[in-house]
């Protein structure tokens, strides 16, 4: 049994958190490959080390002195080293980091030091081998992750290493320069390592006991999802769930390796299993409900639209021309509505409208702003009759006007458009009807 264990920033923010992590790793022989993040927040107003590094590097780029800022970052690490009673000094490392900052080694190099230094501490604390991610994780000339090269080199390297710490979040470009993934990218590193060693399980340790059925900022103490499929998670992530980096799913998915989201502060909780497919029923008809505010609906009307071949393409061409991606396009006989992100659309609004006119000659175009989209997601919905009826009854009961409904034939999700103002109430109403009343 081989497991990759990735720990997020809050799990490694202090010596106390490191000790919990140490206990977790030592509790199971199979936890052999460890991917750490940089130290995160110790309390809500704290600053993540990654943000301190970005800030410090901006100061260096501006040609100003960075001594104070470097010392503050060093203090964060020394606090951990001392709290763990390690005989380790990062003085030389910090000297190099400061020199490279002044030599303008790049923003990505700067940010990556958070994980790099935390990895050195972790390896020292556990007695595991330290492997610099720059030697085993690769990007191509365009800065795109190079999965094939990485997999070949990383799997070869790990063949002979029983136990290792590989810092998350970064790798190297073909010229050796450091490149990071987008924020939260240590999740991706964990997934890549899991694929390379053909792990039985990828454990992703964080500060919540799994993926929640709804956003806890909207619903009080929402239930934890026991098992969720990759597809369901992708739908929910797209609509704002943020437990795991979106791109972390792809490497393990190809190998059929499940991901287990676990809570470092409550290791006894089962957490959430993210799997390819499962015969385990979800506890409720829905797996989760998520949503986002800030959409615009562009309503296009044209008599006899239904018989004009190519009308939809012409309309969408106007959006494509201006680099705007559409979210949904519900349509009627003589109407077509295009949902787009408001911030993406606002600045280009008039240009898009005149292109729609030029390309498709509609009768009228109307714009409705400040809309929210909700995704009710669940593999179980397919088998249950009346799910849509229950959703709409709950929304009607909560006095919420539905602006749009879209259900794909996969029946994995139902998308509902409401006004931004009704967004929170809509999420609560749907959660209540499926979870609180247990139907
Ligand atoms: N430390 C990086 C960040 O704050 C990457 C990570 O934690 O996954 O985004």
């Amino acid at each position: 049994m081989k497991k990759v264990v990735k720990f997020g920033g809050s799990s490694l923010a202090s010596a106390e958190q490191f000790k919990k992590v140490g206990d977790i790793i030592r509790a199971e022989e199979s936890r052999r490959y460890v991917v750490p993040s940089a130290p995160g927040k110790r309390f809500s107003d704290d600053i993540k080390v990654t943000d301190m590094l970005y800030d410090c590097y901006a100061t260096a780029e501006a040609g100003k002195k960075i001594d104070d800022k470097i010392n503050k970052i060093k203090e964060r690490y020394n606090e951990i080293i001392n709290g763990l009673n390690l005989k380790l000094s990062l003085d030389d490392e910090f000297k190099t980091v400061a020199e490279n900052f002044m030599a303008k080694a790049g923003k990505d190099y700067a940010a990556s030091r958070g994980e790099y230094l935390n990895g050195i501490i972790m390896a020292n604390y556990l007695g595991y081998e330290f492997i610099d991610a720059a030697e085993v994780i690769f990007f191509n000339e365009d800065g795109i992750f190079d999965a094939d090269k990485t997999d070949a080199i990383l799997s070869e390297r790990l063949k002979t290493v029983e136990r290792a710490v590989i810092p998350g979040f970064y790798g190297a470009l073909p010229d050796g320069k450091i490149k990071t993934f987008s924020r939260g990218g240590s999740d991706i590193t964990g997934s890549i390592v899991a694929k390379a060693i053909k792990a039985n399980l990828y454990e992703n340790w964080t500060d919540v006991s799994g993926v929640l059925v709804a956003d806890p900022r909207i619903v009080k103490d929402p239930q934890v999802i026991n098992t969720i499929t990759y597809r369901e998670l992708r739908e929910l992530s797209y609509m704002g769930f943020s437990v795991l980096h979106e791109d972390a799913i792809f490497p393990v998915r190809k190998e059929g390796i499940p991901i287990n989201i676990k809570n470092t502060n409550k290791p006894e909780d089962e957490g959430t299993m993210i799997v390819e497919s499962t015969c385990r029923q979800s506890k409720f008809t829905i797996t989760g409900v998520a949503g986002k505010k800030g959409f615009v609906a562009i309503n296009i009307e044209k008599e006899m639209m239904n018989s004009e071949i190519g009308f939809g393409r012409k309309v969408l061409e106007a959006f494509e021309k201006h680099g705007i991606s559409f979210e949904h396009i519900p349509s009627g006989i003589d109407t077509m509505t295009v949902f787009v992100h408001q911030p993406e659309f606002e600045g280009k609004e008039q240009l898009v409208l005149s292109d729609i006119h030029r390309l498709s000659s509609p009768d009228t175009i109307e714009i409705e702003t400040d809309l929210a989209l909700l995704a009710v997601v669940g593999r179980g919905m397919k088998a249950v009759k009346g799910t849509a009826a229950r959703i709409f009854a709950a929304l009607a009961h909560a006095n919420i006007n539905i602006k749009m409904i879209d259900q794909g034939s996969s029946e994995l999700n139902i998308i509902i458009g409401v006004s931004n103002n009704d967004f929170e109430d809509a999420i609560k109403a749907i959660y209540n009807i499926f979870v609180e009343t247990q139907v």
Side-chain angles (χ1 to χ4, degrees):
M1 183 89 161
K2 283 187 284 190
K3 286 184 186 175
V4 170
V5 284
K6 179 260 165 181
F7 291 89
S10 58
S11 301
L12 300 168
S14 63
E16 196 190 325
Q17 289 298 90
F18 255 79
K19 285 179 190 161
K20 289 185 197 167
V21 167
D23 290 345
I24 289 167
I25 294 171
R26 289 186 202 103
E28 268 191 39
E29 178 59 28
S30 56
R31 294 182 174 136
R32 289 167 40 187
Y33 299 94
V34 182
V35 175
S37 279
K41 294 185 180 193
R42 293 160 294 182
F43 40 88
S44 65
D45 292 340
D46 203 9
I47 304 172
K48 291 180 178 185
V49 164
T50 308
D51 291 315
M52 296 170 87
L53 287 161
Y54 279 127
D55 176 55
C56 181
Y57 187 69
T59 310
E61 262 201 321
K64 296 190 197 138
K65 286 187 83 175
I66 57 169
D67 304 4
D68 286 355
K69 290 190 173 175
I70 285 281
N71 282 337
K72 282 230 165 68
I73 298 168
K74 201 166 157 183
E75 267 167 35
R76 289 286 308 262
Y77 286 102
N78 281 343
E79 199 183 293
I80 297 171
I81 292 172
N82 297 335
L84 296 174
N85 287 321
L86 300 178
K87 284 190 200 67
L88 172 72
S89 163
L90 292 179
D91 287 353
D92 288 345
E93 293 288 351
F94 268 99
K95 230 178 115 225
T96 312
V97 169
E99 279 164 17
N100 287 338
F101 273 36
M102 293 318 283
K104 308 207 168 72
K107 197 172 161 209
D108 282 15
Y109 166 81
S112 74
R113 296 305 88 183
E115 272 68 12
Y116 171 80
L117 296 166
N118 227 19
I120 293 178
I121 299 180
M122 179 66 91
N124 188 288
Y125 177 53
L126 296 172
Y128 282 22
E129 183 171 333
F130 173 78
I131 297 178
D132 186 352
E135 293 168 15
V136 286
I137 307 262
F138 300 99
F139 295 84
N140 68 18
E141 300 78 29
D142 301 324
I144 311 230
F145 170 61
D146 188 338
D148 293 340
K149 183 176 173 189
T150 300
D151 202 46
I153 294 178
L154 181 60
S155 54
E156 191 56 37
R157 175 77 183 264
L158 294 180
K159 248 186 210 155
T160 51
V161 183
E162 270 290 297
R163 298 173 181 279
V165 174
I166 304 132
F169 192 37
Y170 71 93
L173 289 161
D175 64 2
K177 271 187 104 178
I178 299 288
K179 164 99 187 123
T180 63
F181 292 107
S182 56
R183 294 297 303 262
S186 298
D187 285 342
I188 309 173
T189 311
S191 184
I192 293 166
V193 176
K195 177 175 192 283
I197 63 149
K198 304 211 179 330
N200 303 90
L201 184 66
Y202 168 25
E203 285 181 345
N204 189 294
W205 292 81
T206 176
D207 52 10
V208 284
S209 292
V211 186
L212 303 171
V213 175
D215 187 337
R217 289 168 299 187
I218 301 173
V219 172
K220 197 166 172 276
D221 296 332
Q223 295 263 350
V224 172
I225 300 169
N226 296 334
T227 309
I228 185 169
T229 64
Y230 295 133
R231 281 175 68 210
E232 287 174 311
L233 184 67
R234 186 143 164 70
E235 298 280 350
L236 291 167
S237 301
Y238 187 68
M239 280 297 194
F241 272 33
S242 61
V243 200
L244 192 73
H245 192 295
E246 257 194 280
D247 296 341
I249 288 175
F250 302 111
V252 283
R253 187 176 184 169
K254 281 196 185 145
E255 291 290 322
I257 302 166
I259 306 174
N260 192 185
I261 306 281
K262 296 273 289 177
N263 189 347
T264 302
N265 305 314
K266 284 188 184 168
E268 63 286 356
D269 286 357
E270 272 185 34
T272 300
M273 285 296 275
I274 307 168
V275 297
E276 168 82 52
S277 184
T278 176
C279 57
R280 279 177 80 172
Q281 300 286 332
S282 30
K283 224 152 119 199
F284 316 104
T285 305
I286 64 165
T287 302
V289 54
K292 268 191 204 163
K293 287 182 180 178
F295 290 92
V296 179
I298 299 103
N299 254 305
I300 300 140
E301 268 197 57
K302 184 174 185 183
E303 228 169 89
M304 305 296 287
M305 181 192 286
N306 66 322
S307 58
E308 185 180 329
I309 291 170
F311 185 85
R313 179 182 46 76
K314 291 175 204 156
V315 169
L316 293 180
E317 197 183 320
F319 289 90
E320 187 182 352
K321 217 176 130 185
H322 297 283
I324 299 169
S325 74
F326 69 90
E327 296 297 309
H328 294 278
I329 25 175
S331 60
I333 305 174
D334 292 332
T335 64
M336 172 173 168
T337 307
V338 183
F339 275 78
V340 294
H341 282 282
Q342 194 156 331
E344 251 178 76
F345 177 71
E346 256 165 5
K348 302 171 183 165
E349 168 191 278
Q350 294 309 317
L351 296 172
V352 177
L353 295 197
S354 64
D355 272 329
I356 297 177
H357 273 290
R358 227 168 283 148
L359 291 161
S360 65
S361 320
D363 296 333
T364 58
I365 305 179
E366 267 173 38
I367 293 183
E368 191 167 355
T369 57
D370 301 316
L371 299 176
L373 291 178
L374 272 73
V376 187
V377 176
R379 60 188 183 279
M381 298 198 307
K382 207 170 182 165
V384 178
K385 292 190 188 87
T387 308
R390 227 174 282 143
I391 294 172
F392 302 133
L395 293 178
H397 217 77
N399 208 14
I400 292 168
N401 184 24
I402 298 170
K403 307 256 182 196
M404 191 272 287
I405 305 161
D406 197 354
Q407 182 189 358
S409 52
S410 68
E411 294 183 58
L412 187 70
N413 62 6
I414 298 175
I415 309 286
I416 300 154
V418 298
S419 146
N420 271 350
N421 294 334
D422 287 331
F423 175 67
E424 282 84 4
D425 286 344
I427 297 266
K428 279 184 207 155
I430 293 169
Y431 181 87
N432 285 343
I433 195 78
F434 287 105
V435 178
E436 296 295 328
T437 53
Q438 302 262 344
V439 283

